[in-house]
Amino acid sequence: MLKKLFTKIESNKTEFTEEEIEKLEQFVEEGFIIKNENYEINSKYRIGVVKVEKNRAILCDLLNEHKNLNLDIEHLNGAYDGDLVLAKRVFNPRSKIKAKIEKVFLNGKTGQILIYVKDKSFYTVKESIKLQFTPKQKLQEGDILLVDNKSFDIVKNLGNISDTAVDEEISLSLYDEDYRLNSKLEVDAKMDDSNKRVDLSKLPFCTIDPNSAKDHDDAIYFDWENSILYVAIADVSYFVKEGSELDKLAFKKSTSAYLPSKVLPMLPNELSEDMCSLKEGVDRYSYVFKIYLDLKNIEVKKSELFEAVINSHRKFSYGRIDRVLEKKFDTFSQNEKEIFDYLLPLYEVTKQYRKKRLKKGYDFRSNEYKLTLKNGEIQSVEIETSSASHQLIEECMLLANIEASKKVNSVGIFRIHEEPPFKAISKLVDDVNALGLKVKLQSDVHSTITHIQQKAKYSSLSEEIDDLIIHAQTQAKYSSKNLGHFGLGFKSYSHFTSPIRRYSDLVLHRILKTKYTPKNIEDICEHISNQERKIDQMVWDFEDRKYARWALKNIKKEVKAKIVDSERGVCVTYGEIAGAKIYLDNYKGQILFSKIKVIIKSSDVISKQITGSVKY
């Protein structure tokens, strides 16, 4: 009520309820609301919402972000992130307006914050803010505590920063995802559909996934003689009923979280690894696209979508299929031969579809680091690349996703990626030219990006320039309206193929089955888009802390790195342990992507900051 009331005053509204007027008269007596012809906020004061960031706090204006004020982070007067507060405007000696909090109206986040013990004092893990805190228990240096953000009572001692096992709990707590560790629901999943399903169990479907995969969302089969591609997707919507407790928890999570050490699944293991997983050699319910291909024009003639029963005749790893596509068959069974006989021509077909797709879309080369841990510490880091088998599966899934989007009404759930603004592309051109490549703005965004990629192809910085191009893009998200997918070059696109690990796909399956779009579809799209970004950040937080642990054990070690932020002097390691971000204390303005040698000087596991010096 109060936030709404103060917003009405700021907006110069004149109509108030009796309850609001009673509250306003109380505030008039307190002196920070003035009553003239209308109610106004005393010019000495400001009302806003506290936003706490690393090393600073801001008073966010209720209407205009350009009126935000800086707050003294050392004197928040008991306020914390998300609180609605009254602040008194003050002027510092340099004439920069600041504000001092006088009163907390409303606790924005009644919850918990993460703190740690350092030199017998207490600091927040996220922002490194020193807190006035007198615990009843005896605590050790480096203890990580979850405390109530108002009473400061200790809710839980997560452990000590010296223990590598605490990293997972820190990241989950920081991003409010710690409920994943104890949110268990009983599952009673049976294949008891009374409706008749199409029986495809005799077709030799196969799954192709990472070697460690336990959840198999998708299986494929290609009828080479009739040019028909079957894409079978786990029929999760049959087992997860809309509005059930299982569904509510899946919506809250919105996505599985993939940490280097484990998977925190969106669905319980009984579903994600069993009844909803297209396991080898067992019948499973699936939602199947039967896609009729026009191989002459490299198009889709038509597609059919139906509920079916399939039986994956074989599960393969990407590595095994890569060898098959190179005609290295190893020892194989008759069953495998039957599958290889259609995978080989399918690969040639998908290459043609990929070639056509890339005339409008893009092929960005971006390194992804896969951390392997042992006893909670980094043992090795591999750079994951998109191999032939990855591309085969990717093209099959893209075809299914496109066909799914075509069957949705004008309002549904789409995966959209809007064209980057001119300002971002103009900066991209400047950044690329600064690296020594001579590029120019072209007639449109697509032409400019392909022009840059063509120039980069013949340089030693093609991967780095692809990173610059990716950073110039807008972020893909979910939307109830179809705005196209710029990066992929599609007019219409949805996510259909991973309902075990993405809530968006589960929603799409329901829409396609019932022809009904949820009334709150916009809220659903916003929530799952936000969750997607948050989970990415949580995983990065976890990985960066692992890198910091590695660096702490390698002080004085010389590593190879390249500059990735020329303004702040930040580099990233490559070679044996790739992906560690290091802040340089003797940076002398080396150009972006310069390769350097760095001596590791210090590492803070809690802040995840690694400091090093360039070896000149």
Side-chain angles (χ1 to χ4, degrees):
M1 171 192 167
L2 287 181
K3 186 176 181 181
K4 182 180 178 182
L5 175 60
F6 292 134
T7 303
K8 285 172 74 172
I9 296 173
E10 295 270 28
S11 303
N12 298 316
K13 297 286 174 59
T14 57
E15 294 184 4
F16 301 97
T17 65
E18 289 185 10
E19 185 182 3
E20 287 175 334
I21 290 172
E22 184 179 340
K23 205 72 180 169
L24 286 169
E25 290 297 330
Q26 176 190 328
F27 294 152
V28 169
E29 289 183 17
E30 293 181 27
F32 62 87
I33 295 292
I34 297 173
K35 185 178 179 182
N36 294 317
E37 293 181 3
N38 195 12
Y39 291 102
E40 300 173 7
I41 296 173
N42 187 327
S43 60
K44 294 179 181 179
Y45 296 94
R46 292 285 297 277
I47 294 171
V49 176
V50 175
K51 182 178 181 182
V52 178
E53 297 179 342
K54 189 173 180 66
N55 300 325
R56 69 170 185 158
I58 301 167
L59 181 69
C60 298
D61 190 84
L62 297 177
L63 294 178
N64 188 345
E65 65 181 68
H66 298 295
K67 292 183 179 180
N68 292 351
L69 296 179
N70 292 323
L71 295 169
D72 188 342
I73 202 163
E74 300 295 331
H75 300 91
L76 293 180
N77 199 18
Y80 198 65
D81 196 41
D83 289 355
L84 180 70
V85 301
L86 172 73
K88 189 171 185 179
R89 295 161 60 127
V90 295
F91 293 87
N92 68 16
R94 297 182 180 178
S95 299
K96 290 183 180 179
I97 296 176
K98 279 193 175 184
K100 180 182 178 182
I101 292 175
E102 297 278 314
K103 179 176 183 177
V104 177
F105 290 115
L106 193 65
N107 294 337
K109 290 186 178 179
T110 53
Q112 299 152 355
I113 55 175
L114 208 57
I115 68 174
Y116 67 99
V117 183
K118 181 181 179 182
D119 299 329
K120 297 183 180 180
S121 296
F122 301 89
Y123 299 83
T124 62
V125 170
K126 190 174 181 180
E127 306 89 0
S128 287
I129 298 172
K130 188 174 182 180
L131 300 176
Q132 300 303 315
F133 175 53
T134 307
K136 297 174 184 177
Q137 301 96 320
K138 186 178 180 181
L139 298 169
Q140 303 294 321
E141 178 83 357
D143 277 354
I144 308 292
L145 312 167
L146 199 59
V147 301
D148 183 279
N149 70 345
K150 296 305 166 189
S151 66
F152 287 100
D153 291 334
I154 296 176
V155 177
K156 182 180 180 182
N157 187 327
L158 273 61
N160 195 279
I161 197 63
S162 61
D163 182 3
T164 60
V166 81
D167 296 342
E168 181 181 311
E169 293 216 41
I170 290 175
S171 295
L172 288 169
S173 296
L174 282 176
Y175 289 89
D176 299 321
E177 293 290 321
D178 44 337
Y179 66 90
R180 288 178 181 256
L181 298 176
N182 48 30
S183 54
K184 305 294 183 184
L185 289 176
E186 286 191 15
V187 176
D188 183 21
K190 294 185 178 73
M191 291 174 59
D192 53 3
D193 193 355
S194 58
N195 297 322
K196 189 174 181 180
R197 288 174 173 256
V198 178
D199 187 356
L200 301 179
S201 59
K202 300 300 181 186
L203 294 182
F205 278 90
C206 73
T207 60
I208 306 174
D209 290 294
N211 202 33
S212 59
K214 295 180 180 178
D215 52 344
H216 304 285
D217 279 290
D218 54 86
I220 58 170
Y221 165 67
F222 184 46
D223 178 351
W224 171 233
E225 289 184 3
N226 297 298
S227 302
I228 299 173
L229 172 66
Y230 291 80
V231 178
I233 305 301
D235 193 358
V236 174
S237 63
Y238 178 80
F239 298 100
V240 182
K241 303 303 182 186
E242 188 172 4
S244 65
E245 291 304 309
L246 197 57
D247 181 49
K248 291 174 184 176
L249 183 58
F251 170 69
K252 184 178 180 180
K253 294 180 179 179
S254 290
T255 180
S256 295
Y258 290 85
L259 299 174
S261 52
K262 68 190 320 185
V263 178
L264 301 170
M266 181 180 79
L267 300 174
N269 289 336
E270 295 93 326
L271 292 179
S272 63
E273 296 181 11
D274 191 6
M275 292 304 292
C276 289
S277 184
L278 305 181
K279 298 167 69 175
E280 178 181 305
V282 292
D283 288 352
R284 283 290 178 258
Y285 285 172
S286 62
Y287 204 21
V288 178
F289 258 113
K290 186 177 182 181
I291 304 172
Y292 296 79
L293 302 178
D294 178 352
L295 300 186
K296 182 179 179 181
N297 297 304
I298 316 299
E299 292 176 352
V300 173
K301 291 179 185 177
K302 65 175 182 176
S303 66
E304 299 170 4
L305 180 61
F306 49 86
E307 294 168 302
V309 175
I310 74 152
N311 187 303
S312 172
H313 287 207
R314 189 74 171 86
K315 72 169 183 178
F316 294 107
S317 68
Y318 284 120
R320 175 75 190 277
I321 298 306
D322 281 331
R323 293 195 297 276
V324 170
L325 298 179
E326 294 171 358
K327 308 293 178 65
K328 299 173 183 176
F329 298 104
D330 303 334
T331 301
F332 57 86
S333 65
Q334 183 58 37
N335 178 31
E336 290 175 328
K337 181 183 183 302
E338 189 177 8
I339 295 171
F340 297 162
D341 283 346
Y342 72 71
L343 283 182
L344 287 167
L346 177 59
Y347 177 54
E348 297 305 319
V349 168
T350 56
K351 282 199 293 187
Q352 293 303 310
Y353 278 80
R354 177 181 172 82
K355 183 178 179 182
K356 183 176 181 179
R357 174 173 67 82
L358 291 179
K359 289 179 180 178
K360 290 184 179 179
Y362 304 96
D363 180 21
F364 296 129
R365 296 171 293 275
S366 179
N367 287 338
E368 289 191 20
Y369 303 108
K370 181 182 178 181
L371 279 60
T372 299
L373 306 181
K374 184 177 182 180
N375 299 324
E377 297 186 344
I378 294 177
Q379 184 179 35
S380 64
V381 179
E382 295 178 12
I383 297 177
E384 293 194 318
T385 56
S386 180
S387 66
S389 61
H390 284 84
Q391 291 176 9
L392 183 155
I393 291 298
E394 180 183 26
E395 295 306 316
C396 293
M397 298 306 115
L398 289 176
L399 287 170
N401 286 337
I402 294 168
E403 291 306 302
S405 72
K406 291 177 182 176
K407 296 183 186 297
V408 180
N409 295 327
S410 57
V411 177
I413 185 164
F414 298 91
R415 181 68 169 176
I416 67 167
H417 182 226
E418 297 173 273
E419 182 175 291
F422 173 80
K423 184 178 180 181
I425 295 301
S426 182
K427 183 179 184 303
L428 171 65
V429 168
D430 291 342
D431 290 343
V432 173
N433 281 325
L435 295 174
L437 270 70
K438 295 181 180 179
V439 299
K440 297 178 181 178
L441 280 169
Q442 304 297 303
S443 58
D444 56 46
V445 173
H446 182 270
S447 300
T448 301
I449 290 175
T450 52
H451 163 66
I452 291 171
Q453 285 192 310
Q454 283 297 320
K455 287 278 190 177
K457 187 184 292 185
Y458 304 104
S459 77
S460 60
L461 295 172
S462 58
E463 289 184 6
E464 288 82 358
I465 288 172
D466 266 358
D467 279 338
L468 289 179
I469 295 172
I470 291 169
H471 289 143
Q473 305 290 311
T474 57
Q475 191 160 18
K477 61 183 179 180
Y478 295 100
S479 171
S480 62
K481 297 180 178 62
N482 178 22
L483 302 177
H485 199 293
F486 174 77
L488 292 173
F490 299 148
K491 292 180 180 178
S492 180
Y493 189 65
S494 291
H495 273 167
F496 172 84
T497 55
S498 295
I500 292 176
R501 63 183 179 87
R502 289 191 306 229
Y503 193 80
S504 59
D505 305 51
L506 175 56
V507 173
L508 180 59
H509 283 213
R510 290 172 178 157
I511 291 173
L512 292 170
K513 285 184 179 184
T514 63
K515 310 300 179 188
Y516 169 77
T517 302
K519 292 180 180 178
N520 64 333
I521 190 64
E522 290 186 10
D523 294 336
I524 291 172
C525 290
E526 183 178 5
H527 171 74
I528 60 180
S529 294
N530 291 338
Q531 271 295 103
E532 179 184 43
R533 287 191 286 272
K534 186 174 80 166
I535 297 304
D536 282 344
Q537 291 167 351
M538 182 186 78
V539 173
W540 295 334
D541 179 82
F542 178 85
E543 292 179 341
D544 285 346
R545 195 161 284 108
K546 293 303 183 187
Y547 278 120
R549 287 193 184 279
W550 165 81
L552 192 60
K553 287 197 168 184
N554 286 275
I555 301 298
K556 298 184 179 179
K557 182 180 177 69
E558 181 182 304
V559 294
K560 294 185 288 187
K562 61 182 177 182
I563 302 293
V564 294
D565 186 335
S566 55
E567 292 182 6
R568 296 186 299 160
V570 182
C571 65
V572 167
T573 59
Y574 65 91
E576 183 183 355
I577 300 294
K581 186 187 297 181
I582 301 176
Y583 293 81
L584 301 172
D585 64 1
N586 63 340
Y587 179 62
K588 293 184 179 179
Q590 289 90 345
I591 64 171
L592 195 63
F593 303 131
S594 296
K595 291 185 176 180
I596 55 176
K597 290 182 179 179
V598 177
I599 307 297
I600 298 174
K601 294 185 70 176
S602 66
S603 179
D604 187 314
V605 176
I606 291 177
S607 69
K608 306 162 295 182
Q609 182 150 323
I610 306 170
T611 303
S613 298
V614 180
K615 183 180 179 182
Y616 290 105

